[in-house]
Amino acid sequence: MDDDAEIVAEFLVESHENLDQLDRDLVELERTPDSRELLSSIFRTIHTIKGTSGFLAFNRLEALTHVGENLLSRLRDGKMVMTTHTAGALLTMVDTVRALLEAIEHGAGDADPGVDVESVVSLLERVLAGDVEEPAAAAAEGGEQATVSELESVQDAPPAQAAVEGGEQATVTATDSVEDAPPAAAAAPAHEPDPVAEELLDPVLDQAPEDVPAAAEVEEGRRGVVDSSVRVDVDLLDGLVQLVGELVLTRNQILQRTEAADDVELVRASQRLDLVASELQESVMRTRMQPIGQVWSKMPRIVRDLAHQLGREVDLEMDGHDTELDRSLLEALKGPLTHLVRNSLDHGIEPPPARAAAGKPTAGRLLLRAYHESGQVVVEITDDGKGIDPRHIGDVAVRRGVVTREQLARMEPRDVLDLIFRPGFSTAEQVTNVSGRGVGMDVVRTSIERIGGSVDLTSTVGCGTTMRIRIPLTLAIIPALVVGQQGERYAIPQANLVELVRLEGQDLRENVETLAGAPVLRLRGRLLPLVSLSEALGGEKADPDGLTIVVVQADETRFGLCVEEVHDTQEIVVKPIGRQLKSLPTYAGATIMGDGRVALILDVGGIARTRAIGAAHATEPEVQVGTVDSRALLVLEVSQGRRAALPLTAVSRLEEFELGRVERSGGVEVVQYRDGILPLLRLAPAIGLAESPPAEDQISVVVHEDGQHRVGIVIDRVLDVVEEHVVPTEVGRRNGVLGSAVVQDKVTDLVDLDAVVRPLLAGAR
Amino acid sequence: MTVTTLTPTSGGTRTTGATGQMCTFWVDGLYFGLQVEHVQEVLRYQQLTVVPCAPDAVHGLINLRGQIVTALDLRCRLGLPPRPEGELPMNVIVRSRGEVVSLLVDDIGDVIDTTEVSLQPTPANLPPTVQDVVGGVLPLPGSILLVVDAERAVDVSTPDTTGGTP
């Protein structure tokens, strides 16, 4: 209900402004009756009010504006000519619309009997009905001679004109509307709503007609919607945000200085300044915040139309209307959100018969959800449609030449789904006018990334898809961790922050290893690539006794950033950097610290890219999946010292299982793993090697995931992760092995993972 | 430093337009001028934040009343030897294409009126790095003023270290 009230309030403000403009336009139009431009503008305004009132179920308002719109469209198309009384009728309509809006504002809804809508409607209808009817309307104007002379110019209305001159209502050629509304009635509404509207608009005018006393009382009690809000230029707001940012920084400087001061008065004053500045900052930031409900209010209509068009049945649910975010971000979100909703309807939710066949209710469910999470706004679009099948996506991607079959074979299911974000990708079997033109998801991702956000999707075949958009709350002020390096400070956005790790002495030696020159950290069983901030900034690599690691995440890439010092978390104001530095991938911007000095904001994603970490997940089309895949290899020991390598991207986890957990199912060894059963595959026999004698109490397993299926590949141990380009040779090619290659000066079998796991998965399917 | 020949440059399209008032400054003993319309203000030395990986000419960032301004070292931009240790540069704050950039110079001179003198092409034998920044010269009675083209002076190419980002 609150949400509705908010939408209504917004509708009122907007409409009132539009009506003021309309008044001016109509008067202007009377002077220049053939201005197509003015007519179009008026038409649009009324059309907007009509549309919204229909959506908000203000039926009388809709009926009124509908007739007005018809009249205006005829005027616009040149089928009718603007005359004084046409203008009069339109102005009457505007006044009545205004009166209705007032009634709505005071909670009476548009059913307020104090506002006479029906007679205005019939007046407009008569004007619409044609020239012969005009005298009736003219009579409403008072039957003045001026009106009549106007009429003459309109053409061929002599009988009607005569009637007017006689001061009598000779409704000659009968139409229904005339019979419905006798002339006297027609005359009244033209004027009656006026005082009502005037009264409601202007509280000073105190002679409220008897029929709307309640409304007038309310008026005095509180400010009307229109009076309580002011439209402000966004540039002005932006300027204000900037200034407040400055003030906050200056306050920080003053606070630092006064902390040590003896002057009690000064300390007190600075505390007050602190308080006021904080509140001011908050308020100013709020001026730019708008609830997401604004965008969502348009969704029911879009969904309804699309469902109709596509022959789907859809129940739309929306949750979290009042989630607020910066208005510029809200603007930027509109397009992508609409697109995703369309996609869900077109590609996600099946037609009713298909749903019934799948044992689902015929009406699909589309859930829009918005919420705040760790300084970000998350918007989810969930449907319970057919989901996205990675195999299908893969096939289409190969067919469209987005990837080669070899590249596809090496991709994780997750990455395969990600292919839909590639340019030129569309899986619509039929190109509809809703979606399926092959532009879309890549555009969605680009536009979301442009505002500092990200899009990802999870999908279960047959059960549905969830698209998740994450966007920052505001671009202006973000929480960030300040770290120190070589005497300078750098800010790392909190959004990228995962955790802080400090390693010293024994721990350092045990958990940090250097693989082919690349340091990695064992963190709770996972290998985390480490990047020295010093090196990322082009400096020397330090070799200290302890490591301070900031674990960061950008997109799908997680890595450890080794820094010299960690200072504290602060709210920082993001400022742009000059064009000389824009192309540096390392920085996302700059900010001013409490002491007035400039600190750079690190772009975690940019650092990851320049240090070639997680390039497999990068979305840039330049980064070819194949070339990246071939670089990172997990080198294993199998069969007593024999070496084999798997593409690292095929590895989802490394696990150790106690021997006691291994059970048998059919002819296959399995373990219970993550609420499921993980079939095990001994790598050595699968690639034609002798199996090592059973290990004492544990087995090492590489978990490989392929769509719905998981396989545990049993190996002796993990040797290394190498990033080098290897070329398989013919030597050693056999079933399960692509060939052998020299990796780290040793001959290593390159495992043909597909061939190895196929027999096992074939059983599972 | 004296210039012996004054051969007009072949591609003599560089002009700074009407000369008029010039804000003058020195860099490594050379006398430079910038049209006052381009100069927002002149500041003493400001604390700089260095930007690792940035182009050489980018000396750092300064905080100009809340605005972050890139400081370019004109010595570096002109290919001149670095400023001697211990000497602090001055900032000439320049507006260019909607951005504010600081040019670091050795010393600031007066604002002079050069309406009487006509702009001549930059002598062709000046080092290309200087030619790149200077849009012409004004032979004044006691000295030769090198007129800096503000647009080009602040144009610093960034080394391509992006490795794939567009």
Side-chain angles (χ1 to χ4, degrees), chain A residues 657-699:
Chain A
F657 294 117
E658 280 169 36
L659 223 48
R661 286 179 59 187
V662 178
E663 300 167 60
R664 293 196 81 83
S665 158
V668 185
E669 283 182 302
V670 296
V671 288
Q672 293 178 27
Y673 180 65
R674 280 199 243 161
D675 304 326
I677 295 171
L678 180 72
L680 295 180
L681 171 91
R682 296 202 175 253
L683 186 58
I687 57 172
L689 297 175
E691 199 168 339
S692 313
E696 47 280 20
D697 52 351
Q698 283 199 321
I699 50 169

Side-chain angles (χ1 to χ4, degrees), chain A residues 242 246 249 253 486 488-490 535-538 575-587 590-592 595-600 609-610 620 622-623, chain B residues 47-55 58 60-70 72 96-97 99 101 151 154-159 161-166:
Chain A
Q242 277 258 299
E246 260 338 282
L249 295 171
Q253 270 165 285
Q486 279 123 11
E488 295 284 358
R489 282 162 300 178
Y490 296 91
E535 278 186 291
L537 297 175
K575 302 203 174 240
I577 44 178
R579 107 181 90 90
Q580 293 83 2
L581 304 173
K582 279 245 166 74
S583 54
L584 290 177
T586 323
Y587 313 111
T591 187
I592 295 169
D595 60 2
R597 290 199 57 188
V598 178
L600 287 156
R609 280 196 296 278
T610 46
E620 277 77 13
E622 296 85 27
V623 182
Chain B
Q47 256 192 332
L48 284 163
T49 297
V50 292
V51 184
C53 309
V58 175
L61 300 172
I62 60 170
N63 169 12
L64 179 69
R65 294 185 299 276
Q67 193 173 5
I68 291 179
V69 173
T70 311
L72 300 176
S96 145
R97 278 180 266 172
E99 273 192 353
V101 177
E151 297 276 300
V154 303
D155 220 354
V156 176
S157 59
T158 315
T161 53
T162 54
T165 32

Side-chain angles (χ1 to χ4, degrees), chain A residues 23 25 99 130 195 214 235 260 379 427 436 520 523 686 698 700:
Chain A
D23 277 346
D25 284 354
D235 284 346
V379 181
T427 56
V520 293
L523 186 64
Q698 283 199 321
S700 297

Side-chain angles (χ1 to χ4, degrees), chain A residues 30 102 163 347 388 501 571 586 717 724 731 747:
Chain A
E30 245 177 318
E102 291 295 339
H347 302 306
I388 304 175
V501 180
E571 298 271 309
T586 323
R717 64 192 179 100
E724 49 185 86
V731 181
V747 174

Side-chain angles (χ1 to χ4, degrees), chain A residues 534-595:
Chain A
S534 171
E535 278 186 291
L537 297 175
E540 290 290 299
K541 186 183 168 187
D543 202 12
D545 311 323
L547 269 187
T548 307
I549 300 163
V550 183
V551 181
V552 288
Q553 173 133 18
D555 303 324
E556 296 301 314
T557 313
R558 186 177 280 208
F559 64 97
L561 198 59
C562 305
V563 301
E564 266 175 24
E565 299 167 73
V566 169
H567 295 296
D568 53 352
T569 317
Q570 298 184 4
E571 298 271 309
I572 59 167
V573 181
V574 181
K575 302 203 174 240
I577 44 178
R579 107 181 90 90
Q580 293 83 2
L581 304 173
K582 279 245 166 74
S583 54
L584 290 177
T586 323
Y587 313 111
T591 187
I592 295 169
M593 307 306 297
D595 60 2

Side-chain angles (χ1 to χ4, degrees), chain B residues 9 16 21 24-26 31 38 45 48 56 61 66 70-71 74 99 110 113 115-117 120 122 135 139 141 159:
Chain B
T9 40
T16 51
Q21 301 243 300
T24 63
F25 49 87
W26 282 272
Y31 191 39
H38 292 300
Y45 173 72
L48 284 163
D56 290 340
L61 300 172
T70 311
L74 260 196
E99 273 192 353
D110 292 330
D113 189 3
T115 336
E116 304 292 294
V117 193
Q120 296 196 10
T122 319

Side-chain angles (χ1 to χ4, degrees), chain A residues 620-642:
Chain A
E620 277 77 13
E622 296 85 27
V623 182
Q624 287 303 316
V625 177
T627 58
V628 171
D629 274 354
S630 65
R631 286 178 54 188
L633 288 175
L634 183 72
V635 182
L636 316 162
E637 188 182 301
V638 285
S639 185
Q640 289 178 306
R642 297 288 291 271

